[in-house]
């Protein structure tokens, strides 16, 4: 790979239920801290799932005045705030940059359901003329990316990505391709989600995919454990500053990791259930390594999609075994055990975990792991973080509709 096609990560902005900056998030991961608790966003009485990984410490007034904040849904506020923090973390002065060469690819799987639910109830009660004129600009899925460009005054490639639970991963993969093609020097890439609402949660609950362990919220998300009973809803946002290596070197940036590959496939199997043999997910893993110069034997860590549902964890185990056939399978963990499933933000947050694992020489644990499942017989780094110096890590994301995405990161 040439210097001009090499892409690096130089900054991370993150908001999650366990931390709202890079260091706080990483410290919580290393401590195996759970960010899942009883629902605060609405009265959960009568709902099947009454727990979530909510962000309770975010204050939009730190980033916007009241008028700006009212124009944006929380899903956009989180995205813009994460982008601002990522640029700051990267040590980048936008006034010294060519803003036409800075892009933004930020996705959301669902968009602003808070506003949709509120405005539809208002519409039914008060009639057509009661609908807020900001409804469409708040709810359409591209607005986290659009609002970020507006807030930062950047004019390069800009788009929203929506690919269910693979959204954040696809956003970073799309940015990688644009940077390699020469379409931009810098792209702010990631995902955002805030869908802890009655309608969305009951929709997932009706599918039987949410955990009902309401009495023990901090233990409810238990990926790969024999007694897992579903995932826990979470909210969050993560934006990575991606730059061409040449641009990063020119400005003397601190490189956190290299983005060395991206693979994507489609199961073409069903609406929500994964293809049971995992062969297409396995192909996505292999595709991420194609042309990277990295062998499967060099991968030292896998950040699993690891939702904590019976079928998905089993299928992902099979996919990993298929991809690594003939090679030793590296340690695997799921940070959804701590933050829940953040849907469109998950791939980006988990990408950040891989970058930080490479930088810090330590692998995040899978907490709440108590009973081995014979069908998920991987080294899941149970309960305690593990010191290990690695040179390559992959992040898996698999979404409804059979959309598979895998990112490969290598050590700076």
């Amino acid at each position: 790979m040439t210097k001009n096609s090499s892409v690096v990560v130089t900054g991370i902005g993150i908001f999650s239920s366990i931390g709202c900056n890079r260091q706080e998030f990483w410290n919580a991961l290393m401590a195996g801290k759970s960010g899942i608790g009883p629902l605060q966003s609405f009265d959960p009485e009568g709902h099947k799932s009454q727990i979530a990984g909510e962000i309770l410490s975010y204050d939009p007034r730190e980033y916007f005045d009241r008028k700006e904040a009212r124009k944006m849904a929380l899903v956009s506020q989180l995205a813009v705030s994460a982008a601002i923090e990522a640029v700051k973390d990267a040590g980048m002065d936008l006034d010294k940059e060519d803003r036409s060469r800075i892009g933004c690819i930020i996705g959301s799987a669902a968009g602003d359901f808070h506003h949709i639910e509120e405005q539809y109830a208002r519409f039914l009660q008060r009639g057509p003329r009661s609908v807020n004129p900001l409804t469409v600009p708040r709810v359409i899925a591209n607005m986290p990316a659009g609002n970020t460009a507006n807030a930062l005054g950047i004019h390069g490639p800009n788009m929203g990505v929506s690919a269910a639970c693979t959204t954040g991963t696809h956003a970073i993969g799309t940015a990688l391709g644009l940077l390699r093609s020469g379409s931009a020097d810098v792209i702010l890439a990631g995902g955002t989600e805030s869908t802890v609402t009655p309608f969305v949660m009951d929709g997932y609950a009706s599918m039987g995919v949410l955990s009902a362990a309401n009495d023990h919220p901090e233990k409810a998300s238990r990926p790969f454990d024999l007694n897992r009973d579903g995932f826990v809803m979470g909210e969050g946002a993560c934006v990575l500053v991606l730059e061409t290596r040449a641009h990063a070197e020119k400005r003397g940036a601190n490189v956190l990791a290299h983005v060395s590959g991206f693979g994507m496939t489609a199961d073409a199997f069903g609406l929500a259930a994964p293809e049971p043999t995992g062969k297409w997910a396995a192909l996505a893993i292999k595709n991420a390594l194609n042309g990277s110069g990295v062998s499967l034997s060099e991968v030292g860590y896998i950040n699993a999609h690891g939702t904590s549902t019976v079928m998905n964890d089993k299928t992902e185990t099979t996919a990993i075994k298929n991809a690594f056939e003939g090679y030793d399978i590296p340690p695997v963990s799921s940070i959804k055990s701590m933050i829940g499933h953040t849907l469109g933000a998950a791939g980006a947050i988990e990408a950040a975990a891989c970058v930080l694992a490479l930088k810090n020489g330590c692998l995040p644990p899978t907490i709440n792991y108590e009973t081995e499942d014979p069908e998920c017989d991987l080294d899941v780094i149970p309960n305690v973080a593990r010191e290990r110096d690695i040179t390559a890590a992959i992040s898996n994301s698999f979404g409804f509709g059979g959309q598979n995405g895998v990112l490969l990161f290598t050590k700076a």
Side-chain angles (χ1 to χ4, degrees):
M1 187 176 296
T2 66
K3 181 176 176 178
N4 289 335
S5 66
S6 183
V7 174
V8 298
V9 181
T10 58
I12 297 172
I14 191 164
F15 291 86
S16 74
S17 61
I18 60 171
C20 290
N21 60 64
R22 191 222 305 184
Q23 195 59 51
E24 188 177 60
F25 170 74
W26 180 249
N27 290 345
L29 284 187
M30 292 299 95
K33 177 183 176 182
S34 174
I36 295 167
L39 271 168
Q40 304 294 309
S41 299
F42 62 89
D43 182 358
E45 183 66 30
H47 297 271
K48 179 182 177 182
S49 182
Q50 302 177 4
I51 57 178
E54 296 171 285
I55 301 173
L56 302 177
S57 58
Y58 174 69
D59 185 352
R61 292 173 297 182
E62 294 181 15
Y63 300 92
F64 316 101
D65 63 34
R66 187 176 179 183
K67 185 177 180 180
E68 289 176 315
R70 286 182 62 191
K71 293 178 181 178
M72 279 187 272
L74 179 57
V75 68
S76 282
Q77 292 176 2
L78 289 170
V80 176
S81 301
I84 291 170
E85 291 296 333
V87 170
K88 188 188 304 181
D89 189 50
M92 183 178 292
D93 183 348
L94 294 179
D95 289 335
K96 295 180 180 179
E97 299 290 335
D98 179 353
R99 292 173 188 250
S100 72
R101 298 288 298 168
I102 302 176
C104 178
I105 313 292
I106 298 178
S108 172
D112 179 20
F113 264 84
H114 292 280
H115 198 72
I116 290 172
E117 292 179 36
E118 172 193 296
Q119 288 301 306
Y120 189 61
R122 184 173 176 173
F123 170 78
L124 292 177
Q125 292 168 5
R126 302 183 189 178
R129 297 189 179 184
S130 68
V131 176
N132 190 319
L134 289 173
T135 295
V136 172
R138 282 175 61 105
V139 305
I140 54 178
N142 70 305
M143 287 312 293
N147 281 317
T148 298
N150 292 345
L152 297 180
I154 53 179
H155 303 282
N158 186 282
M159 66 180 290
V161 173
S162 188
C165 310
T166 321
T167 294
T169 295
H170 278 20
I172 295 169
T174 300
L176 174 64
L178 287 168
L179 288 166
R180 285 179 171 175
S181 75
S183 299
D185 298 322
V186 180
I187 294 183
L188 311 180
T192 181
E193 207 75 82
S194 177
T195 52
V196 181
T197 71
F199 186 71
V200 173
M201 289 193 63
D202 288 348
Y204 279 110
S206 71
M207 298 177 70
V209 296
L210 292 188
S211 172
N214 296 319
D215 294 335
H216 304 284
E218 72 284 351
K219 291 185 174 293
S221 182
R222 40 199 318 117
F224 302 110
D225 187 275
L226 180 65
N227 297 312
R228 63 192 183 279
D229 74 330
F231 69 80
V232 177
M233 288 287 286
E235 59 184 357
C238 182
V239 173
L240 306 184
V241 176
L242 306 185
E243 304 183 51
T244 63
R245 180 181 163 193
H247 184 272
E249 289 182 352
K250 183 178 179 180
R251 70 178 191 87
N254 176 37
V255 174
L256 302 177
H258 291 259
V259 193
S260 297
F262 171 57
M264 58 192 299
T265 60
D267 281 353
F269 177 77
L271 295 177
E275 195 282 323
T277 70
K279 62 181 179 179
W280 304 114
L283 182 60
I285 294 173
K286 293 177 180 178
N287 286 348
L289 273 70
N290 285 345
S292 69
V294 177
S295 163
L296 284 166
S297 63
E298 297 175 84
V299 176
Y301 170 60
I302 300 172
N303 191 292
H305 189 56
T307 60
S308 188
T309 60
V310 174
M311 184 58 70
N312 277 272
D313 291 0
K314 175 184 172 182
T315 304
E316 184 169 11
T317 300
T318 303
I320 290 170
K321 288 181 176 180
N322 286 348
F324 280 81
E325 186 176 5
Y327 296 87
D328 292 335
I329 297 175
V332 177
S333 71
S334 172
I335 66 170
K336 288 184 178 74
S337 58
M338 291 176 259
I339 64 173
H341 195 344
T342 56
L343 306 181
I349 293 174
E350 290 158 16
C354 284
V355 169
L356 294 172
L358 285 159
K359 177 176 172 55
N360 296 313
C362 201
L363 309 182
T366 304
I367 68 169
N368 301 324
Y369 188 80
E370 296 173 351
T371 307
E372 180 180 348
D373 182 346
E375 294 186 301
C376 299
D377 53 342
L378 302 169
D379 173 4
V380 299
I381 316 177
N383 303 311
V384 179
R386 183 179 302 169
E387 290 188 15
R388 179 166 295 185
D389 189 29
I390 59 171
T391 59
I394 63 175
S395 180
N396 288 342
S397 294
F398 309 124
F400 281 2
Q403 295 176 306
N404 307 314
V406 178
L407 288 163
L408 169 68
F409 296 93
T410 52
K411 192 169 184 175

